[in-house]
Amino acid sequence: TLVQVHHLNSHGHKKLLFRFSFHTAFIEEGILQLPVSELDNYNRKLMRLPPGEKFIVQLIFDAPSVGSSSSG
């Protein structure tokens, strides 16, 4: 799965902040945490984190509903 995160400015233009891909086999206990080092195309200029500030992306997954399909 590829996830892209964009910043949408006041003029309606979007810029890529970062992207990442993952496989559901790496999700433990319904949580996937990715540090900056695991993000692709991380845009330090747009993110503007203070020096030493830690940043992670955390995705929390719920169990699939009964009768749901993955045919998207």
Side-chain angles (χ1 to χ4, degrees), residues 26-68:
F26 296 105
I27 299 169
E28 295 181 18
E29 298 181 17
I31 298 174
L32 176 67
Q33 292 186 338
L34 300 169
V36 171
S37 61
E38 297 291 323
L39 303 176
D40 300 322
N41 295 88
Y42 177 74
N43 191 328
R44 292 186 189 282
K45 185 177 176 182
L46 283 177
M47 293 296 288
R48 297 183 189 142
L49 294 175
E53 186 74 25
K54 293 188 179 193
F55 176 79
I56 64 166
V57 173
Q58 179 173 302
L59 301 176
I60 302 172
F61 296 87
D62 197 2
S65 301
V66 175
S68 68

Side-chain angles (χ1 to χ4, degrees), residues 6-27:
H6 292 88
H7 168 72
L8 184 64
N9 69 18
S10 59
H11 301 291
H13 297 106
K14 67 180 183 178
K15 292 193 176 191
L16 182 68
L17 290 177
F18 57 85
R19 66 182 178 198
F20 59 92
S21 59
F22 66 95
H23 189 282
T24 54
F26 296 105
I27 299 169

